[in-house]
Amino acid sequence: MPHFRKFDKYISFKFKKRRKPRWWAIRLVMKFGGTSVDGAEGVSRISRLVERFRREGHQIVVVTSAMANVTDTLIKMADMASGGRFPEKLMESLRNKHLKALKAVSEESLREEVQDYISSLLDELGGFLSALSVVGEVSPRMLDYVLSFGERLSTKIVWAKLRDMGMEAEYFTGWDAGIVTDDSFGSARPLMEETRRRVRERLLPLLEKGVIPVVTGYIAATREGHVTTFGRGGSNLTATLLGACLDADEVWIWTDVDGVMTADPKIVDNARTVPYMSYDEAAEIAFFGAKVIQPYMVAPAMEAGVPIRVRNTFNPSCEGTLIGGDCRPTEQTVKVVCMKEDVAMVSLKRAYYSSARDMVRLMEAFLDVGVEGILMSQSFPKGGLCVIVPKSKLRQMLKSLKDVEDLTVEVEEDVSLIAVVGAGMKGRPGIAARTFGAVAKRGINVRAIVQGPSEFNISFIVKSSDGREAVRAVHEEFIG
């Protein structure tokens, strides 16, 4: 008999009220990342995991990312093609990588079917890249189309392996599954009402019959049929979207770590798995640089009350991290200390006293060139504004300020952003003092400080050379 779900005490009231418990089986969306699905061994490993939970009677939707490094390869291919060079070697490497992974499938007819599919898909990609060589540029819409090939290739192989193991499975692209987005190419957002209707129409009947839908992550399409992508980490959004649309009991994000960690294990040797965190806490750490979750993936699950669990493909016995609706403070004041690198600090000062309206105009100037500040801190009455931006956006930001009169601009590029996150910080005195006391003991100078309105985090800026030591200092102070 399948185990009953173990997260009762963490489920929000909204979630409990919304669903009647199915004690004999649960509905799961299982998303597998690029390292999990890489190569024949990876495809076989995740297929065994799906088989294990399917055998217990659960209804399962599988969402698959592109294989490791394939998205980066496709970006290089598009860049080369737009520069007039056809990426012949990269194309051959891409073909070989997927044909090697296909060796996981033993049934000859299935293997031949997918071989033909791979050849057809790569011929289509080659034709498009040849056209790019003539055009000499890659628009965001064109790039989304090129990037869609990664998930289409990997997901078809996973589908074949599930069929090879005797499971009923059906392959879907994101748009075939019913996901509809706006036309913000490169960072598309779903049209929820239409997506929910289409997904339920297309996938629910299959689930009720015991069929496993195998869906490409990361990619979808507009109403007009133009291919879109959700941006980096977008397969996680595909998973939570499907989970919300299908009233899933949980969404499982399978990755290569044991869950959300208290800090990056490469920085803090004794970092450990966080067993539970709220949607709000998860969104905070995702915004500040956590690698296994992204801010936008949390929203659909939170709206629908669907818990997210982060698990390790290579250590499936570990329960991982559960993300749910309960936001109560815990004994553990701070849950995660994270660091965001590749940022710059821009300090803006006016020569005269200015109003809040002047600050708004500056921020509108940033948005006009596509720059959104990660953090902002301002002071009045003399208009001082400190903005933390990704280094990749620094040039656009400085360009937007070029014609602003009486403005002094100072830029520091060798900085890191440290974020200290935990619901237990809310309303508890002395947290800031302990944080900055721990940092000061290591001789680290803090350049800027911001506390968000949620009171779930304190963020501060230090020199890049001090970033790792600052993470260790705060982790030792609060977590050990």
Side-chain angles (χ1 to χ4, degrees):
M1 181 180 293
H3 64 277
F4 184 62
R5 53 183 181 268
K6 299 179 180 179
F7 51 84
D8 319 78
K9 62 181 179 180
Y10 298 127
I11 304 174
S12 65
F13 175 75
K14 177 181 175 183
F15 180 73
K16 282 184 174 176
K17 186 176 180 180
R18 185 177 58 86
R19 290 195 58 80
K20 292 180 180 179
R22 292 190 302 270
W23 61 266
W24 66 95
I26 60 176
R27 183 175 295 161
L28 298 170
V29 176
M30 300 171 67
K31 177 263 175 180
F32 295 95
T35 54
S36 299
V37 78
D38 200 34
E41 186 179 345
V43 169
S44 297
R45 182 186 297 109
I46 68 171
S47 298
R48 289 192 298 271
L49 281 172
V50 174
E51 181 187 39
R52 168 187 159 190
F53 290 103
R54 182 68 193 91
R55 217 181 314 131
E56 292 179 356
H58 305 313
Q59 295 179 351
I60 296 173
V61 178
V62 172
V63 176
T64 308
S65 296
M67 291 184 186
N69 302 316
V70 165
T71 300
D72 289 336
T73 298
L74 289 167
I75 291 172
K76 288 178 186 175
M77 293 170 76
D79 287 342
M80 288 178 66
S82 65
R85 295 178 298 149
F86 186 82
E88 190 170 345
K89 289 184 178 179
L90 290 178
M91 180 70 80
E92 192 61 27
S93 173
L94 198 65
R95 184 186 304 274
N96 291 337
K97 183 180 183 74
H98 289 88
L99 289 178
K100 285 180 182 177
L102 187 57
K103 291 180 180 179
V105 178
S106 57
E107 186 181 321
E108 187 175 352
S109 61
L110 264 175
R111 195 167 59 247
E112 288 177 354
E113 179 184 344
V114 179
Q115 280 176 347
D116 291 343
Y117 175 86
I118 291 172
S119 294
S120 174
L121 213 57
L122 291 180
D123 287 346
E124 183 183 336
L125 175 60
F128 190 78
L129 291 173
S130 296
L132 286 184
S133 300
V134 176
V135 174
E137 65 174 337
V138 185
S139 68
R141 176 174 158 182
M142 293 172 179
L143 183 59
D144 274 4
Y145 180 70
V146 172
L147 297 183
S148 74
F149 285 84
E151 274 71 18
R152 287 196 271 170
L153 288 164
S154 63
T155 305
K156 190 72 171 182
I157 295 171
V158 172
W159 164 82
K161 181 59 180 176
L162 295 178
R163 292 288 300 270
D164 189 44
M165 295 173 68
M167 287 174 271
E168 288 293 319
E170 190 166 330
Y171 166 80
F172 291 87
T173 61
W175 55 87
D176 288 335
I179 301 175
V180 186
T181 73
D182 62 16
D183 60 358
S184 301
F185 298 101
S187 57
R189 290 296 170 260
L191 306 179
M192 284 304 299
E193 188 174 336
E194 192 167 348
T195 293
R196 178 176 172 83
R197 176 178 57 79
R198 291 190 185 194
V199 167
R200 293 179 71 82
E201 284 176 356
R202 298 175 189 187
L203 301 191
L204 274 180
L206 295 175
L207 289 172
E208 297 297 339
K209 293 176 184 176
V211 177
I212 301 170
V214 186
V215 184
T216 58
Y218 181 60
I219 61 177
T222 64
R223 288 189 178 114
E224 295 74 28
H226 302 307
V227 175
T228 57
T229 69
F230 289 132
R232 286 289 185 174
S235 293
N236 288 349
L237 176 55
T238 301
T240 57
L241 263 178
L242 294 178
C245 292
L246 297 168
D247 298 328
D249 291 287
E250 283 193 12
V251 173
W252 290 358
I253 306 296
W254 290 96
T255 182
D256 55 2
V257 294
D258 284 342
V260 178
M261 309 296 287
T262 54
D264 186 339
K266 295 176 183 177
I267 299 174
V268 179
D269 292 337
N270 64 334
R272 47 190 180 268
T273 304
V274 179
Y276 177 81
M277 61 174 42
S278 68
Y279 294 122
D280 289 328
E281 289 172 314
E284 293 275 0
I285 68 162
F287 183 77
F288 289 109
K291 294 180 176 62
V292 294
I293 52 178
Q294 295 75 38
Y296 47 80
M297 69 169 268
V298 177
M302 181 163 60
E303 280 293 312
V306 178
I308 304 167
R309 192 181 293 275
V310 182
R311 302 190 67 170
N312 190 344
T313 310
F314 304 93
N315 184 22
S317 61
C318 179
E319 288 291 323
T321 299
L322 182 67
I323 302 168
D326 193 342
C327 201
R328 65 187 183 283
T330 63
E331 291 181 7
Q332 190 176 357
T333 308
V334 171
K335 287 187 178 175
V336 179
V337 184
C338 44
M339 177 172 69
K340 195 174 185 71
E341 300 179 285
D342 296 320
V343 297
M345 183 169 72
V346 182
S347 300
L348 310 173
K349 298 175 184 177
R350 304 301 297 262
Y352 55 86
Y353 289 93
S354 58
S355 65
R357 187 176 287 109
D358 293 322
M359 295 296 103
V360 170
R361 289 194 187 110
L362 284 175
M363 288 184 264
E364 286 175 344
F366 306 156
L367 293 174
D368 286 344
V369 293
V371 177
E372 292 186 39
I374 299 170
L375 285 177
M376 294 187 186
S377 178
Q378 62 189 82
S379 62
F380 294 104
K382 199 162 186 177
L385 183 66
C386 175
V387 187
I388 311 302
V389 297
K391 282 185 182 177
S392 60
K393 298 289 187 179
L394 184 58
R395 182 179 297 178
Q396 295 102 298
M397 182 182 184
L398 295 178
K399 184 179 178 181
S400 73
L401 299 171
K402 189 171 60 174
D403 299 325
V404 179
E405 296 180 357
D406 300 309
L407 184 68
T408 302
V409 181
E410 296 178 359
V411 178
E412 291 186 54
E413 295 188 52
D414 60 333
V415 296
S416 294
L417 170 63
I418 312 298
V420 185
V421 179
M425 298 165 61
K426 187 173 183 178
R428 189 169 296 185
I431 301 300
R434 287 179 63 188
T435 299
F436 299 117
V439 171
K441 287 176 185 176
R442 307 283 179 106
I444 298 170
N445 183 43
V446 175
R447 299 288 296 109
I449 302 169
V450 177
Q451 180 162 18
S454 68
E455 295 187 67
F456 287 178
N457 87 76
I458 295 174
S459 306
F460 58 95
I461 299 293
V462 298
K463 289 285 187 183
S464 295
S465 56
D466 292 327
R468 288 174 170 252
E469 192 62 26
V471 171
R472 293 187 194 105
V474 178
H475 192 279
E476 182 179 318
E477 175 68 23
F478 291 101
I479 302 171

